[in-house]
PDB file of all heavy atoms in Angstrom:
ATOM      1  N   MET S 144       0.625 185.946  83.844  1.00 97.00           N
ATOM      2  CA  MET S 144      -0.381 186.487  82.924  1.00 97.00           C
ATOM      3  C   MET S 144       0.277 186.728  81.560  1.00 97.00           C
ATOM      4  O   MET S 144       1.336 187.334  81.481  1.00 97.00           O
ATOM      5  CB  MET S 144      -0.966 187.790  83.465  1.00 97.00           C
ATOM      6  CG  MET S 144      -2.085 188.342  82.576  1.00 97.00           C
ATOM      7  SD  MET S 144      -2.827 189.864  83.233  1.00 97.00           S
ATOM      8  CE  MET S 144      -3.850 189.201  84.541  1.00 97.00           C
ATOM      9  N   ASP S 145      -0.363 186.258  80.513  1.00 98.00           N
ATOM     10  CA  ASP S 145       0.155 186.431  79.155  1.00 98.00           C
ATOM     11  C   ASP S 145       0.066 187.888  78.727  1.00 98.00           C
ATOM     12  O   ASP S 145      -0.936 188.566  78.978  1.00 98.00           O
ATOM     13  CB  ASP S 145      -0.646 185.590  78.158  1.00 98.00           C
ATOM     14  CG  ASP S 145      -0.461 184.099  78.355  1.00 98.00           C
ATOM     15  OD1 ASP S 145       0.665 183.689  78.695  1.00 98.00           O
ATOM     16  OD2 ASP S 145      -1.434 183.344  78.172  1.00 98.00           O
ATOM     17  N   VAL S 146       1.132 188.353  78.073  1.00 98.00           N
ATOM     18  CA  VAL S 146       1.200 189.715  77.538  1.00 98.00           C
ATOM     19  C   VAL S 146       1.758 189.616  76.128  1.00 98.00           C
ATOM     20  O   VAL S 146       2.748 188.915  75.893  1.00 98.00           O
ATOM     21  CB  VAL S 146       2.140 190.614  78.383  1.00 98.00           C
ATOM     22  CG1 VAL S 146       2.198 192.019  77.808  1.00 98.00           C
ATOM     23  CG2 VAL S 146       1.709 190.630  79.842  1.00 98.00           C
ATOM     24  N   ILE S 147       1.115 190.323  75.182  1.00 98.00           N
ATOM     25  CA  ILE S 147       1.635 190.337  73.814  1.00 98.00           C
ATOM     26  C   ILE S 147       1.990 191.766  73.410  1.00 98.00           C
ATOM     27  O   ILE S 147       1.333 192.716  73.818  1.00 98.00           O
ATOM     28  CB  ILE S 147       0.635 189.721  72.793  1.00 98.00           C
ATOM     29  CG1 ILE S 147      -0.734 190.393  72.874  1.00 98.00           C
ATOM     30  CG2 ILE S 147       0.529 188.216  72.990  1.00 98.00           C
ATOM     31  CD1 ILE S 147      -1.704 189.958  71.785  1.00 98.00           C
ATOM     32  N   ASP S 148       3.063 191.848  72.634  1.00 98.00           N
ATOM     33  CA  ASP S 148       3.498 193.129  72.082  1.00 98.00           C
ATOM     34  C   ASP S 148       2.650 193.397  70.839  1.00 98.00           C
ATOM     35  O   ASP S 148       2.650 192.608  69.905  1.00 98.00           O
ATOM     36  CB  ASP S 148       4.978 193.038  71.713  1.00 98.00           C
ATOM     37  CG  ASP S 148       5.502 194.261  70.982  1.00 98.00           C
ATOM     38  OD1 ASP S 148       4.867 195.321  71.058  1.00 98.00           O
ATOM     39  OD2 ASP S 148       6.545 194.141  70.329  1.00 98.00           O
ATOM     40  N   VAL S 149       1.929 194.508  70.839  1.00 98.00           N
ATOM     41  CA  VAL S 149       1.097 194.859  69.685  1.00 98.00           C
ATOM     42  C   VAL S 149       1.562 196.175  69.059  1.00 98.00           C
ATOM     43  O   VAL S 149       0.844 196.774  68.263  1.00 98.00           O
ATOM     44  CB  VAL S 149      -0.402 194.938  70.066  1.00 98.00           C
ATOM     45  CG1 VAL S 149      -0.933 193.562  70.463  1.00 98.00           C
ATOM     46  CG2 VAL S 149      -0.651 195.959  71.179  1.00 98.00           C
ATOM     47  N   SER S 150       2.763 196.599  69.400  1.00 98.00           N
ATOM     48  CA  SER S 150       3.288 197.860  68.863  1.00 98.00           C
ATOM     49  C   SER S 150       3.596 197.721  67.376  1.00 98.00           C
ATOM     50  O   SER S 150       3.965 196.642  66.907  1.00 98.00           O
ATOM     51  CB  SER S 150       4.560 198.265  69.614  1.00 98.00           C
ATOM     52  OG  SER S 150       5.560 197.278  69.468  1.00 98.00           O
ATOM     53  N   GLU S 151       3.435 198.805  66.649  1.00 96.00           N
ATOM     54  CA  GLU S 151       3.666 198.795  65.208  1.00 96.00           C
ATOM     55  C   GLU S 151       5.115 198.491  64.849  1.00 96.00           C
ATOM     56  O   GLU S 151       5.388 197.862  63.837  1.00 96.00           O
ATOM     57  CB  GLU S 151       3.248 200.137  64.593  1.00 96.00           C
ATOM     58  CG  GLU S 151       1.757 200.350  64.583  1.00 96.00           C
ATOM     59  CD  GLU S 151       1.373 201.662  63.928  1.00 96.00           C
ATOM     60  OE1 GLU S 151       2.155 202.184  63.107  1.00 96.00           O
ATOM     61  OE2 GLU S 151       0.279 202.159  64.227  1.00 96.00           O
ATOM     62  N   ASN S 152       6.054 198.948  65.692  1.00 95.00           N
ATOM     63  CA  ASN S 152       7.475 198.763  65.405  1.00 95.00           C
ATOM     64  C   ASN S 152       8.099 197.589  66.152  1.00 95.00           C
ATOM     65  O   ASN S 152       9.321 197.481  66.214  1.00 95.00           O
ATOM     66  CB  ASN S 152       8.246 200.046  65.739  1.00 95.00           C
ATOM     67  CG  ASN S 152       7.799 201.199  64.877  1.00 95.00           C
ATOM     68  OD1 ASN S 152       7.508 201.026  63.698  1.00 95.00           O
ATOM     69  ND2 ASN S 152       7.714 202.375  65.470  1.00 95.00           N
ATOM     70  N   ASN S 153       7.271 196.736  66.714  1.00 94.00           N
ATOM     71  CA  ASN S 153       7.759 195.579  67.481  1.00 94.00           C
ATOM     72  C   ASN S 153       8.738 196.005  68.570  1.00 94.00           C
ATOM     73  O   ASN S 153       9.749 195.350  68.814  1.00 94.00           O
ATOM     74  CB  ASN S 153       8.429 194.551  66.564  1.00 94.00           C
ATOM     75  CG  ASN S 153       7.485 194.026  65.507  1.00 94.00           C
ATOM     76  OD1 ASN S 153       6.274 194.039  65.681  1.00 94.00           O
ATOM     77  ND2 ASN S 153       8.029 193.572  64.408  1.00 94.00           N
ATOM     78  N   ASP S 154       8.444 197.105  69.271  1.00 97.00           N
ATOM     79  CA  ASP S 154       9.372 197.645  70.269  1.00 97.00           C
ATOM     80  C   ASP S 154       8.809 197.637  71.695  1.00 97.00           C
ATOM     81  O   ASP S 154       9.333 198.308  72.574  1.00 97.00           O
ATOM     82  CB  ASP S 154       9.797 199.060  69.884  1.00 97.00           C
ATOM     83  CG  ASP S 154       8.619 200.037  69.852  1.00 97.00           C
ATOM     84  OD1 ASP S 154       7.471 199.641  70.158  1.00 97.00           O
ATOM     85  OD2 ASP S 154       8.857 201.213  69.520  1.00 97.00           O
ATOM     86  N   TRP S 155       7.762 196.884  71.916  1.00 98.00           N
ATOM     87  CA  TRP S 155       7.156 196.759  73.239  1.00 98.00           C
ATOM     88  C   TRP S 155       6.688 198.111  73.783  1.00 98.00           C
ATOM     89  O   TRP S 155       6.714 198.354  74.984  1.00 98.00           O
ATOM     90  CB  TRP S 155       8.111 196.067  74.220  1.00 98.00           C
ATOM     91  CG  TRP S 155       8.224 194.602  73.942  1.00 98.00           C
ATOM     92  CD1 TRP S 155       9.157 194.000  73.149  1.00 98.00           C
ATOM     93  CD2 TRP S 155       7.353 193.577  74.398  1.00 98.00           C
ATOM     94  NE1 TRP S 155       8.917 192.654  73.090  1.00 98.00           N
ATOM     95  CE2 TRP S 155       7.820 192.365  73.854  1.00 98.00           C
ATOM     96  CE3 TRP S 155       6.229 193.549  75.214  1.00 98.00           C
ATOM     97  CZ2 TRP S 155       7.189 191.149  74.105  1.00 98.00           C
ATOM     98  CZ3 TRP S 155       5.611 192.327  75.468  1.00 98.00           C
ATOM     99  CH2 TRP S 155       6.095 191.154  74.906  1.00 98.00           C
ATOM    100  N   SER S 156       6.210 199.000  72.918  1.00 98.00           N
ATOM    101  CA  SER S 156       5.668 200.267  73.390  1.00 98.00           C
ATOM    102  C   SER S 156       4.153 200.196  73.589  1.00 98.00           C
ATOM    103  O   SER S 156       3.563 201.118  74.161  1.00 98.00           O
ATOM    104  CB  SER S 156       6.018 201.394  72.414  1.00 98.00           C
ATOM    105  OG  SER S 156       5.500 201.102  71.130  1.00 98.00           O
ATOM    106  N   ALA S 157       3.535 199.107  73.146  1.00 98.00           N
ATOM    107  CA  ALA S 157       2.096 198.895  73.335  1.00 98.00           C
ATOM    108  C   ALA S 157       1.847 197.403  73.522  1.00 98.00           C
ATOM    109  O   ALA S 157       2.376 196.586  72.763  1.00 98.00           O
ATOM    110  CB  ALA S 157       1.310 199.411  72.133  1.00 98.00           C
ATOM    111  N   VAL S 158       1.047 197.078  74.543  1.00 98.00           N
ATOM    112  CA  VAL S 158       0.802 195.668  74.857  1.00 98.00           C
ATOM    113  C   VAL S 158      -0.671 195.422  75.137  1.00 98.00           C
ATOM    114  O   VAL S 158      -1.429 196.360  75.412  1.00 98.00           O
ATOM    115  CB  VAL S 158       1.632 195.197  76.075  1.00 98.00           C
ATOM    116  CG1 VAL S 158       3.122 195.337  75.815  1.00 98.00           C
ATOM    117  CG2 VAL S 158       1.231 195.923  77.357  1.00 98.00           C
ATOM    118  N   ARG S 159      -1.019 194.159  75.075  1.00 98.00           N
ATOM    119  CA  ARG S 159      -2.339 193.695  75.509  1.00 98.00           C
ATOM    120  C   ARG S 159      -2.110 192.555  76.484  1.00 98.00           C
ATOM    121  O   ARG S 159      -1.247 191.707  76.265  1.00 98.00           O
ATOM    122  CB  ARG S 159      -3.175 193.235  74.317  1.00 98.00           C
ATOM    123  CG  ARG S 159      -3.547 194.394  73.393  1.00 98.00           C
ATOM    124  CD  ARG S 159      -4.303 193.949  72.167  1.00 98.00           C
ATOM    125  NE  ARG S 159      -5.596 193.413  72.556  1.00 98.00           N
ATOM    126  CZ  ARG S 159      -6.342 192.631  71.763  1.00 98.00           C
ATOM    127  NH1 ARG S 159      -5.926 192.306  70.554  1.00 98.00           N
ATOM    128  NH2 ARG S 159      -7.500 192.182  72.174  1.00 98.00           N
ATOM    129  N   LEU S 160      -2.893 192.522  77.565  1.00 98.00           N
ATOM    130  CA  LEU S 160      -2.774 191.490  78.583  1.00 98.00           C
ATOM    131  C   LEU S 160      -3.964 190.551  78.505  1.00 98.00           C
ATOM    132  O   LEU S 160      -5.087 190.987  78.231  1.00 98.00           O
ATOM    133  CB  LEU S 160      -2.718 192.109  79.986  1.00 98.00           C
ATOM    134  CG  LEU S 160      -1.429 192.834  80.319  1.00 98.00           C
ATOM    135  CD1 LEU S 160      -1.407 194.231  79.759  1.00 98.00           C
ATOM    136  CD2 LEU S 160      -1.215 192.860  81.811  1.00 98.00           C
ATOM    137  N   LYS S 161      -3.713 189.311  78.791  1.00 97.00           N
ATOM    138  CA  LYS S 161      -4.780 188.309  78.767  1.00 97.00           C
ATOM    139  C   LYS S 161      -5.424 188.269  80.155  1.00 97.00           C
ATOM    140  O   LYS S 161      -5.182 187.373  80.950  1.00 97.00           O
ATOM    141  CB  LYS S 161      -4.236 186.944  78.371  1.00 97.00           C
ATOM    142  CG  LYS S 161      -5.301 185.954  77.981  1.00 97.00           C
ATOM    143  CD  LYS S 161      -4.681 184.716  77.367  1.00 97.00           C
ATOM    144  CE  LYS S 161      -5.720 183.806  76.778  1.00 97.00           C
ATOM    145  NZ  LYS S 161      -5.084 182.607  76.200  1.00 97.00           N
ATOM    146  N   SER S 162      -6.249 189.264  80.417  1.00 89.00           N
ATOM    147  CA  SER S 162      -6.908 189.393  81.715  1.00 89.00           C
ATOM    148  C   SER S 162      -8.028 188.380  81.895  1.00 89.00           C
ATOM    149  O   SER S 162      -8.367 188.018  83.014  1.00 89.00           O
ATOM    150  CB  SER S 162      -7.477 190.800  81.881  1.00 89.00           C
ATOM    151  OG  SER S 162      -6.463 191.763  81.741  1.00 89.00           O
ATOM    152  N   GLN S 163      -8.619 187.969  80.807  1.00 89.00           N
ATOM    153  CA  GLN S 163      -9.674 186.962  80.817  1.00 89.00           C
ATOM    154  C   GLN S 163      -9.119 185.680  80.197  1.00 89.00           C
ATOM    155  O   GLN S 163      -8.277 185.747  79.298  1.00 89.00           O
ATOM    156  CB  GLN S 163     -10.889 187.443  80.012  1.00 89.00           C
ATOM    157  CG  GLN S 163     -11.482 188.746  80.507  1.00 89.00           C
ATOM    158  CD  GLN S 163     -11.968 188.661  81.937  1.00 89.00           C
ATOM    159  OE1 GLN S 163     -12.552 187.666  82.347  1.00 89.00           O
ATOM    160  NE2 GLN S 163     -11.712 189.698  82.712  1.00 89.00           N
ATOM    161  N   PRO S 164      -9.591 184.523  80.606  1.00 87.00           N
ATOM    162  CA  PRO S 164      -9.019 183.262  80.102  1.00 87.00           C
ATOM    163  C   PRO S 164      -9.080 183.084  78.582  1.00 87.00           C
ATOM    164  O   PRO S 164      -8.234 182.408  78.011  1.00 87.00           O
ATOM    165  CB  PRO S 164      -9.864 182.186  80.785  1.00 87.00           C
ATOM    166  CG  PRO S 164     -10.494 182.850  81.956  1.00 87.00           C
ATOM    167  CD  PRO S 164     -10.617 184.308  81.620  1.00 87.00           C
ATOM    168  N   THR S 165     -10.038 183.736  77.931  1.00 91.00           N
ATOM    169  CA  THR S 165     -10.202 183.489  76.499  1.00 91.00           C
ATOM    170  C   THR S 165      -9.848 184.659  75.591  1.00 91.00           C
ATOM    171  O   THR S 165      -9.971 184.539  74.380  1.00 91.00           O
ATOM    172  CB  THR S 165     -11.665 183.081  76.207  1.00 91.00           C
ATOM    173  OG1 THR S 165     -12.532 184.124  76.663  1.00 91.00           O
ATOM    174  CG2 THR S 165     -12.025 181.774  76.896  1.00 91.00           C
TER     175      THR S 165
END
Side-chain angles (χ1 to χ4, degrees):
M144 184 178 284
D145 293 324
V146 180
I147 54 173
D148 173 19
V149 294
S150 61
E151 290 182 24
N152 297 323
N153 300 335
D154 63 2
W155 287 93
S156 59
V158 299
R159 293 177 66 198
L160 288 81
K161 195 170 189 180
S162 303
Q163 302 300 320
T165 58

